[in-house]
Amino acid sequence: MRISKKFVLFSLLGLCLVFTAFRNSDKYFLIAKNLDIFAAFYRELNTYYVEDLPPEKLMHKGIEAMLEETDPYTDFVPEENLDELRFMATGKYGGVGASIYTDGDWTAITDVYEGSPMFKAGVKPGDIIVSLNGKNAKGMQQEDISSILKGNPGTTLNMVLRHPITGQETPRKIIREDINVKPVSFAGIIREDIGYIKMTQFTENSGQLVQEAFEGLKRSNPDLKGVVLDLRGNPGGLLEEAVTLSNIFIDKNQLIVSTKGKVKSWDREYKTMQPAVDMNIPLVVLTSRSSASASEIVAGAVQDLDRGLVVGQRSYGKGLVQTTRPLPYNAKLKVTTARYYTPSGRCIQAIDYSTRNEDGEADYVPDSLRRSFTTAGGRPVKDGGGIEPDAKVESTLLSQVAITLLRKQYIFDYATRYYYAHPTVKPASEFTLTEAEFGDFEEFLEGKDYSYKTRSEEALEGFRSVAEREKYYDGLSKEFEALQAKMKHDKKQDLLRNKTEIKHLLEEEIMNRYYPQQGRIEKGLSWDRDVDSAVALLHQPERYQQLLGKKN
């Protein structure tokens, strides 16, 4: 008997469907089976265990154990933490508009946001929190104080603050408001003819705010030679806002990003919807190791479509998309549902969470497995490791003495003293600390503990530890001690050796007192190596075009 090829084909298809159905039913059976076991296990444990077990704590531990098998972006969000989720999406939270730092028993105000309730009440950086709503703040943990400062808009916070110089204590009545952290922290002209926009997060309407900043720069400076979009340290946010921002410089109907996940009906392509504001102005996007997610979508689109250059350091490498799903009792599941892909088709996810080593740790995608793609103009780019800059700038590492002075709050404390001793100063772009004032800072440090170990000393101690473990140290002890003596650092010499760096940090902190937030950024631009490299490229059209792979 002859069997037709068509019959065989349909039979095979039917078998495939049956096997698929069996596989799915097996999976759902295993889920149901293990949920029944889990519920029964907890019921028996709770009934017969000799001590009472807190149910909420126990369940949260179970959830945390499940989350260990996922990536770090998948998370359980209980009702009491929904404000954090809201802040990530909107940039808004209920509170007083200030940052704090706890050192020992006391907590000080470190930043006051312009226009915030704290700003309106006359609170200044350096003020020390004495009490909150009648409760003594001495010895309180920083997270506890932060929790009290936050609250629903319209509610009242009564606090007592101590002046950092005079010690005078003053009561303040603060009415909490909806605090909206600005996604565009600075926009202005640098080096005479280059526009600069600093963007800190991708929250609701942030793309529109960047567009308004850019259009304002163009209106006030018709001879603009280029624009620097600074996404360094920007952790990302809303994917749609990344598309909106890209649309400022990339024309209508261009693919910016696509997403692909387990639920195929959720796969999407995101294209620009409007004509570009400016398709031709030279553009540089600055990235750093902490530029992630939506920042990388923008940088990847600009790079893949050859619309501009990426300058700085390789970005973080987060190519995953999260969605929130509702859970009972107003809780939420923030879950990774897809990977995203840049216009060239690459996923820039740097860590592979699908495979783990014996310790359960996920690792970076090795260079040998990174695939090559090409930009619209044919330039080679790779997946699996963030966005690599077209022009790399080595990151600047602070000296150990500078790190210690920051950590110990001595730079902050000196800036407070300087502010109250100088009622007025020059604009941030013109301000410099004099030699006499730096000498005053040195005197301020006299008697203060800012001891530290240099990286060389730490490396030498590491060598000693290994030598002792391998039983080589006894034969090397004299040479080791001689080398240790030679390397012993002098704090005062380190202070002078790194004077320029420390002076810059002081100037930035001082400017932040007179021109909140903006002063620190504007002053820092004066010696920013990444910005210098970006401006140099924008001032060299031939080099700019060469890196884009284009000929003039």
Side-chain angles (χ1 to χ4, degrees), residues 401-417 441 444-445 501-510 513:
V401 63
I403 291 170
T404 303
L405 292 172
L406 287 168
R407 183 171 53 82
K408 294 269 190 176
Q409 291 291 92
Y410 293 144
I411 286 176
F412 177 86
D413 290 342
Y414 182 78
T416 300
R417 193 170 88 162
F441 175 66
F444 168 78
L445 292 176
E501 173 185 82
I502 294 166
K503 190 165 171 279
H504 288 169
L505 294 171
L506 283 165
E507 289 171 356
E508 287 181 29
E509 186 61 45
I510 289 168
R513 303 306 171 90

Side-chain angles (χ1 to χ4, degrees), residues 101 108-112 123-128 162-167 408-423 425 433 440-441 444 505-514 520:
Y101 177 80
I109 306 294
T110 56
D111 274 290
V112 178
V123 178
K124 303 288 185 183
D127 286 353
I128 298 161
R162 182 187 303 133
H163 195 283
I165 306 298
T166 66
K408 294 269 190 176
Q409 291 291 92
Y410 293 144
I411 286 176
F412 177 86
D413 290 342
Y414 182 78
T416 300
R417 193 170 88 162
Y418 188 98
Y419 173 75
Y420 285 106
H422 300 80
V425 292
L433 211 59
D440 182 49
F441 175 66
F444 168 78
L505 294 171
L506 283 165
E507 289 171 356
E508 287 181 29
E509 186 61 45
I510 289 168
M511 285 299 94
N512 193 51
R513 303 306 171 90
Y514 297 91
R520 177 184 283 131

Side-chain angles (χ1 to χ4, degrees), residues 341-353:
Y341 299 81
T342 67
S344 66
R346 55 183 171 141
C347 179
I348 51 85
Q349 176 63 26
I351 299 177
D352 182 7
Y353 294 104

Side-chain angles (χ1 to χ4, degrees), residues 288-476:
S288 67
R289 288 296 299 169
S290 49
S291 301
S293 189
S295 296
E296 296 174 295
I297 290 175
V298 173
V302 168
Q303 189 176 63
D304 281 5
L305 299 174
D306 296 307
R307 175 57 188 87
L309 296 175
V310 178
V311 172
Q313 298 84 48
R314 183 195 291 192
S315 65
Y316 182 81
K318 180 178 180 290
L320 305 174
V321 181
Q322 284 72 50
T323 304
T324 56
R325 304 291 298 166
L327 296 174
Y329 299 99
N330 296 320
K332 298 279 186 183
L333 168 63
K334 181 164 74 75
V335 57
T336 298
T337 53
R339 292 180 175 85
Y340 73 74
Y341 299 81
T342 67
S344 66
R346 55 183 171 141
C347 179
I348 51 85
Q349 176 63 26
I351 299 177
D352 182 7
Y353 294 104
S354 64
T355 57
R356 298 174 184 266
N357 60 27
E358 292 179 356
D359 297 326
E361 297 293 324
D363 208 348
Y364 285 89
V365 177
D367 285 343
S368 59
L369 295 181
R370 296 180 64 196
R371 297 179 299 163
S372 293
F373 295 78
T374 55
T375 68
R379 294 186 297 146
V381 288
K382 285 190 173 183
D383 69 356
I387 303 295
E388 295 207 38
D390 303 303
K392 186 176 180 180
V393 182
E394 292 298 327
S395 51
T396 303
L397 296 176
L398 289 176
S399 63
Q400 287 297 101
V401 63
I403 291 170
T404 303
L405 292 172
L406 287 168
R407 183 171 53 82
K408 294 269 190 176
Q409 291 291 92
Y410 293 144
I411 286 176
F412 177 86
D413 290 342
Y414 182 78
T416 300
R417 193 170 88 162
Y418 188 98
Y419 173 75
Y420 285 106
H422 300 80
T424 59
V425 292
K426 291 181 179 180
S429 59
E430 301 173 22
F431 175 80
T432 55
L433 211 59
T434 66
E435 289 297 314
E437 288 168 337
F438 190 82
D440 182 49
F441 175 66
E442 291 180 270
E443 289 181 20
F444 168 78
L445 292 176
E446 288 292 337
K448 290 182 169 58
D449 174 28
Y450 57 101
S451 57
Y452 55 92
K453 290 179 181 177
T454 65
R455 293 184 180 92
S456 299
E457 287 174 316
E458 289 175 350
L460 192 62
E461 284 191 6
F463 169 76
R464 175 177 179 163
S465 177
V466 173
E468 286 176 336
R469 191 164 60 247
E470 296 181 344
K471 300 188 176 4
Y472 288 120
Y473 179 72
D474 288 345
L476 297 170

Side-chain angles (χ1 to χ4, degrees), residues 37-144:
I37 292 171
F38 182 84
F41 178 85
Y42 175 69
R43 185 171 58 249
E44 297 298 311
L45 184 67
N46 184 62
T47 302
Y48 297 111
Y49 185 68
V50 65
E51 304 287 351
D52 282 337
L53 297 170
E56 187 173 18
K57 184 178 180 181
L58 216 60
M59 289 297 111
H60 279 193
K61 281 188 175 294
I63 290 171
E64 287 168 7
M66 282 191 280
L67 290 173
E68 286 178 5
E69 298 299 314
T70 68
D71 60 57
Y73 313 110
T74 296
D75 201 8
F76 169 69
V77 186
E79 182 179 13
E80 59 268 24
N81 291 348
L82 287 181
D83 280 348
E84 295 177 18
L85 206 59
R86 175 178 174 245
F87 174 69
M88 290 170 62
T90 65
K92 296 179 181 179
Y93 68 94
V96 296
S99 299
I100 58 174
Y101 177 80
T102 300
D103 183 19
D105 284 336
W106 297 104
T107 296
I109 306 294
T110 56
D111 274 290
V112 178
Y113 306 137
E114 193 170 2
S116 69
M118 283 281 209
F119 184 87
K120 294 172 186 174
V123 178
K124 303 288 185 183
D127 286 353
I128 298 161
I129 300 174
V130 177
S131 69
L132 294 165
N133 288 333
K135 186 177 181 181
N136 191 345
K138 183 179 181 180
M140 287 182 68
Q141 296 295 311
Q142 183 168 319
E143 52 267 30
D144 294 332

